[in-house]
Amino acid sequence: MNFPLKKLDWYIMKRFIVTFFVAILLIIGIVIIFDISEKIDQFVSNEAPLEAIIFDYYLNFIPYFINMFSPLFVFITVIFFTSKMAQNSEIVAILSCGISFHRMMVPYVISAAIIALMSLGLNLFVIPQANETRLAFEGKYVKEQKNLTSHNVHYQISPGEFVYVDAFSTWNNTAYKFTLEKIKDNKLVSKLSAETAVWDTTFNGWKLKKYFIRDYVDDMDDNIRSGKQLDTVINLTLDDFYMNKKTVERLSQKKLLQLIETQKMRGDSNVMYAEIEQHNRLSLPFSAFILTIIGVALSSKKRRGGIGWNIAIGIALSFSYILFMRFSQMFVYTGVLPAYIAIWLPNLIFAFVAAGLYRIAPK
């Protein structure tokens, strides 16, 4: 490779980056208009302040939308302006000047790296905080709160301490048929049972109603206690029952990794949401390189009929990538594949496609 960058490199990089951001801004404007028309009745009926609509919702909606559809925009951008260069015989002229196809890819790869770093920065630092504000606004002014009930909840809250809840209701923040067991050296040493456990914000703990405690001792002379009410603080909070796909989107990378470690220790099945979010944050930026290579390989050749065919192929492939990326999450939900394989699988498959197309493109 010949460095520093030449005028041709800057020309390609400028067209790539400018086209990418112009396309994003145009689509974001259209999406916001449709979103306003869809939610205007809810904004008015729930008396959402104009300032909150603009700054809490839509301002935080933009980075989320940019990142979610960045693969689509990268691919369409590359297909569009590269096809136009091919139709204008610019690529033929470039290759005729002695510049190899591989050297021509350098500005494309640099541009893809810039977009990938932007996407990674959004994922790790901007979007979690933006989602916190955006989802809080949606919960207050857009979506009706539903009374959800979880059943058969099992947690290991710390080594040797296990919690079982028959049902938990978000309507009154109450756990029904609450059980706390303590095990030491593979032996049950204590069992606490209560008809209900109600979360109390005054001391950030649980208020147990009609409790029964049994301490097991070696001489079989068990200690038994019971009562109408008992306040207790354990390594289990209200947030643990509300953890789902949306809540993990609000967590910083550090908190997300801590949550995964805690949920794995507890044996919490909801850990799949955190693991999917973790790998999505890393795999999505990487797709910029793969889709850029595929886009250049498909559109660098001049085709009869203009650029319409290239754009159609680009849109079809980019949508298939996004669809596959979303569908692969189902492998995690159903337990077929671990998150690190399922989430990276679309990138792996399309990387092979990119390698094959890139190999035959110079010919």
Side-chain angles (χ1 to χ4, degrees):
M1 295 184 184
N2 299 319
F3 288 101
L5 297 176
K6 307 295 183 180
K7 281 187 177 181
L8 176 63
D9 298 316
W10 290 109
Y11 172 73
I12 293 176
M13 289 168 60
K14 181 180 178 181
R15 294 197 67 177
F16 193 151
I17 300 297
V18 170
T19 306
F20 174 78
F21 281 105
V22 168
I24 278 188
L25 291 176
L26 288 175
I27 297 298
I28 284 178
I30 295 172
V31 170
I32 288 177
I33 291 173
F34 277 101
D35 193 71
I36 290 175
S37 63
E38 180 184 350
K39 295 186 173 69
I40 187 66
D41 291 338
Q42 293 169 303
F43 291 158
V44 173
S45 61
N46 294 322
E47 299 180 352
L50 179 61
E51 183 179 358
I53 294 174
I54 297 174
F55 295 102
D56 292 348
Y57 184 62
Y58 284 110
L59 194 62
N60 292 297
F61 172 84
I62 291 174
Y64 173 79
F65 182 85
I66 290 175
N67 191 66
M68 182 171 60
F69 288 101
S70 61
L72 172 64
F73 291 126
V74 166
F75 206 24
I76 292 178
T77 296
V78 173
I79 289 285
F80 177 76
F81 85 85
T82 306
S83 296
K84 198 169 182 180
M85 288 175 62
Q87 289 300 120
N88 295 335
S89 301
E90 293 179 64
I91 292 181
V92 173
I94 291 171
L95 299 177
S96 299
C97 292
I99 298 176
S100 68
F101 186 83
H102 307 297
R103 177 60 182 85
M104 190 187 73
M105 284 296 301
V106 171
Y108 283 97
V109 173
I110 294 175
S111 301
I114 294 172
I115 294 173
L117 289 174
M118 179 198 71
S119 178
L120 185 63
L122 289 174
N123 271 335
L124 298 182
F125 305 108
V126 178
I127 292 178
Q129 185 175 355
N131 282 342
E132 177 73 30
T133 306
R134 179 179 63 85
L135 293 174
F137 176 91
E138 287 183 354
K140 187 175 182 180
Y141 297 111
V142 179
K143 297 180 179 179
E144 296 181 359
Q145 298 293 328
K146 297 180 180 179
N147 299 328
L148 303 177
T149 302
S150 302
H151 296 278
N152 297 323
V153 179
H154 297 262
Y155 285 143
Q156 180 181 212
I157 59 175
S158 63
E161 284 192 306
F162 298 85
V163 164
Y164 169 76
V165 173
D166 182 67
F168 178 83
S169 174
T170 59
W171 179 72
N172 54 5
N173 293 330
T174 300
Y176 297 92
K177 293 185 179 179
F178 177 91
T179 301
L180 173 63
E181 295 180 344
K182 295 182 180 181
I183 297 176
K184 186 176 181 181
D185 297 329
N186 295 323
K187 293 182 179 180
L188 182 63
V189 297
S190 177
K191 183 175 182 179
L192 185 155
S193 302
E195 285 193 7
T196 60
V198 182
W199 179 255
D200 194 323
T201 56
T202 58
F203 66 96
N204 289 330
W206 298 95
K207 194 177 290 292
L208 307 182
K209 303 292 183 65
K210 295 183 179 181
Y211 69 91
F212 180 91
I213 302 175
R214 184 168 186 169
D215 297 318
Y216 298 89
V217 293
D218 294 334
D219 58 3
M220 303 302 292
D221 187 17
D222 299 341
N223 296 323
I224 299 175
R225 292 165 287 156
S226 62
K228 292 183 178 180
Q229 183 172 300
L230 175 68
D231 295 340
T232 184
V233 177
I234 57 177
N235 189 25
L236 183 72
T237 67
L238 195 63
D239 292 338
D240 294 312
F241 290 98
Y242 284 84
M243 197 62 62
N244 55 35
K245 182 179 178 181
K246 289 293 184 183
T247 53
V248 297
E249 293 177 357
R250 312 178 185 189
L251 301 179
S252 65
Q253 188 68 7
K254 182 179 179 181
K255 291 183 178 180
L256 185 65
L257 295 176
Q258 290 174 346
L259 175 65
I260 292 174
E261 183 179 354
T262 300
Q263 289 185 322
K264 282 184 175 180
M265 182 272 294
R266 291 178 173 177
D268 188 351
S269 61
N270 286 333
V271 70
M272 62 183 176
Y273 297 118
E275 289 180 328
I276 289 173
E277 178 67 17
Q278 177 202 6
H279 291 288
N280 270 335
R281 291 181 182 184
L282 301 177
S283 66
L284 194 63
F286 188 74
S287 67
F289 296 101
I290 299 173
L291 297 178
T292 295
I293 294 172
I294 295 177
V296 176
L298 286 174
S299 57
S300 57
K301 183 178 179 180
K302 187 173 182 179
R303 294 180 184 273
R304 182 179 299 176
I307 66 174
W309 181 247
N310 286 340
I311 293 177
I313 294 175
I315 292 175
L317 279 175
S318 56
F319 270 111
S320 66
Y321 173 81
I322 294 174
L323 182 63
F324 189 17
M325 186 173 58
R326 296 297 176 184
F327 179 75
S328 64
Q329 296 181 11
M330 298 302 299
F331 295 132
V332 185
Y333 297 142
T334 57
V336 175
L337 291 173
Y340 67 90
I341 293 179
I343 302 305
W344 283 92
L345 188 60
N347 278 345
L348 181 62
I349 293 176
F350 275 77
F352 281 109
V353 174
L357 291 174
Y358 182 74
R359 184 176 180 181
I360 64 177
K363 300 177 183 179

